[in-house]
Amino acid sequence: MKIHEYQAKDILAKYGIPVQPGKVAHTPEEAEAIARELGEPVVIKAQVYVGGRGKAGGIQFGDTPEQAREAATRVLGMDIKGLTVEKVLVTSKIDIKDEYYLGIVLDRKSQAPVVMVSTAGGIDIEEVAEKTPEKIIQQPIDMRWGLRPFEALDIVTRAGFPSNILRQSAAILAALAKAFIESDANLAEINPLAYTTDGKVLAADGKIVIDDNGLFRQKEYATWAEPEEANPLEYEAKQAGLTYVKLDGDVGIIGNGAGLVMTTLDMVARAGGKPANFLDIGGGAKAEVMYKSLTFVARDPQVKGILVNIFGGITRGEEVAKGVIMAQAELPKGMPIVVRLSGTGAEEGRALLKDAGLDWGKDMRDASEKIVAAIARTEKGL
């Protein structure tokens, strides 16, 4: 479950991490009142569940309460990557001298939270990892002890933080680790950790993602969930009982079993396509589940074609084929669908698909190549 920046900062502040004073406004008038209350220049920051707010114009400044109101007027109602800005964080403007990065993420390989620290703050850590990986210091956290103060100090020292902010930064990193663990998070980051011209070190921006599986313990945080979390489709999928994750491509992906679906994403990418989503129908799915899944994936305007990849066990191939055929009338006209069936009921399913005039792949690679080629032909009007 994603949360907004202002909510992440509330959590950080609870663990003693310095943050700028600020409040949330839903109208320009509220933004003006908050700026007047703060009594200093402010930053108006869009509160949506996506990155890239600054590039989209979702972060603006106001040196006076009147300018704050004007800035909020411009930001509220703005569309950022498909999400409408309904509230803004009005917070004190700071004069930043240097920016750093502190982050903690769950690492499947080490099966532990991993600390990531860098002197290259203020930009996406993925970009730093790609271009200058040597600037990132990583260290797993031993869950028996958490991140101890001397370990935090060693990490920021190895990362090359200036000596005059080492102890402050180490204390913030240790507190971030405590917040991560006790909040059942799977991601917590401060980017940037700002060193201001007046010598303060504080979290200028914060991001926390809470593990859905821990929400039964995090009752307060569970109430923060909103329909537009991450993407409206993801929220609707959750309500409908579908295991769905929105991605950025145009190839809809449906499979049974997380491992098979992930492999399908990779195979589509290898064939030159870009997956639009992850959707796992699970085991034992009937025709109705396949029908619901296909029509749901097709609702994404980015989807130009759909690949269904099923390994039949308790999920029978003929049931999958029936669901695909049922969905035909509900899908956008001309949208290509390629189905790969293997295992229980595969032959029967392929026979049904053939009778309905639908394409199927002999294996995962063939199916992936077929859907990518079909989308390319459709876009060319062939």
Side-chain angles (χ1 to χ4, degrees):
M1 186 186 86
K2 294 184 180 181
I3 61 177
H4 290 295
E5 175 192 354
Y6 74 91
Q7 294 166 329
K9 283 185 170 179
D10 284 346
I11 294 175
L12 297 179
K14 187 168 76 172
Y15 286 87
I17 296 174
V19 298
Q20 301 141 277
K23 292 181 179 179
V24 172
H26 296 83
T27 66
E29 292 71 26
E30 288 180 2
E32 179 181 4
I34 294 168
R36 199 175 301 281
E37 180 183 333
L38 291 172
E40 56 186 331
V42 296
V43 186
I44 307 295
K45 307 177 81 173
Q47 298 298 285
V48 287
Y49 293 119
V50 291
R53 294 174 299 170
K55 292 179 181 178
I59 298 178
Q60 300 198 21
F61 303 92
D63 290 336
T64 66
E66 292 75 20
Q67 289 180 3
R69 183 186 68 246
E70 293 169 4
T73 300
R74 292 190 294 270
V75 175
L76 287 165
M78 179 182 289
D79 182 282
I80 300 180
K81 296 183 179 179
L83 297 181
T84 302
V85 179
E86 297 180 349
K87 51 192 167 187
V88 294
L89 174 61
V90 183
T91 188
S92 297
K93 184 179 177 182
I94 56 175
D95 191 0
I96 300 176
K97 183 178 180 181
D98 287 308
E99 296 180 323
Y100 307 94
Y101 175 89
L102 304 180
I104 302 170
V105 64
L106 278 179
D107 178 58
R108 295 184 183 277
K109 186 176 180 181
S110 62
Q111 297 184 342
V114 171
V115 174
M116 296 190 298
V117 173
S118 178
T119 53
I123 57 176
D124 288 341
I125 194 64
E126 292 85 359
E127 184 179 335
V128 180
E130 182 181 344
K131 296 181 179 179
T132 53
E134 70 279 1
K135 290 186 177 180
I136 302 176
I137 298 297
Q138 301 184 47
Q139 179 169 312
I141 297 176
D142 189 327
M143 289 297 289
R144 292 175 297 177
W145 323 114
L147 186 67
R148 291 168 288 188
F150 73 88
E151 293 173 314
L153 182 58
D154 175 65
I155 292 169
V156 295
T157 301
R158 286 189 287 124
F161 279 44
S163 58
N164 59 321
I165 65 166
L166 280 176
R167 296 198 176 278
Q168 289 169 280
S169 302
I172 291 173
L173 179 58
L176 181 65
K178 193 168 190 285
F180 176 94
I181 293 168
E182 294 184 359
S183 299
D184 284 305
N186 53 36
L187 170 70
E189 68 178 16
I190 297 172
N191 188 25
L193 178 71
Y195 175 42
T196 65
T197 53
D198 58 356
K200 295 177 182 176
V201 180
L202 50 81
D205 198 352
K207 179 179 179 181
I208 294 177
V209 179
I210 298 170
D211 190 336
D212 289 345
N213 296 311
L215 288 176
F216 73 96
R217 283 192 294 261
Q218 309 295 340
K219 295 189 178 357
E220 178 187 358
Y221 304 155
T223 65
W224 294 353
E226 296 178 5
E228 73 270 21
E229 179 188 339
N231 183 279
L233 281 173
E234 290 187 359
Y235 184 84
E236 291 179 36
K238 189 174 182 180
Q239 303 306 305
L242 296 173
T243 304
Y244 173 92
V245 179
K246 177 76 176 74
L247 302 173
D248 294 329
D250 57 9
V251 184
I253 307 290
I254 299 173
N256 61 326
L260 180 63
V261 180
M262 291 296 289
T263 305
T264 308
L265 300 182
D266 291 339
M267 192 62 73
V268 166
R270 184 173 293 182
K274 289 189 68 178
N277 67 274
F278 169 109
L279 197 156
D280 174 12
I281 63 172
K286 299 294 184 183
E288 292 76 14
V289 174
M290 178 53 63
Y291 166 82
K292 181 167 74 170
S293 299
L294 273 167
T295 53
F296 187 88
V297 168
R299 286 175 53 198
D300 181 354
Q302 288 183 247
V303 170
K304 307 300 181 187
I306 301 174
L307 171 59
V308 178
N309 186 15
I310 301 294
F311 182 82
I314 55 176
T315 301
R316 299 187 61 86
E318 68 269 29
E319 284 291 322
V320 171
K322 290 175 184 176
V324 173
I325 294 167
M326 286 168 55
Q328 285 299 292
E330 306 293 330
L331 301 182
K333 187 176 180 181
M335 175 177 283
I337 298 177
V338 176
V339 182
R340 179 258 182 169
L341 295 174
S342 178
T344 308
E347 289 186 16
E348 295 90 334
R350 284 195 287 266
L352 289 171
L353 293 171
K354 185 177 180 180
D355 290 342
L358 293 169
D359 201 0
W360 51 272
K362 62 183 180 181
D363 55 35
M364 193 187 315
R365 183 188 298 275
D366 181 53
S368 299
E369 291 173 350
K370 281 185 173 179
I371 190 62
V372 171
I375 290 173
R377 287 195 300 272
T378 301
E379 290 183 333
K380 290 178 182 178
L382 300 177

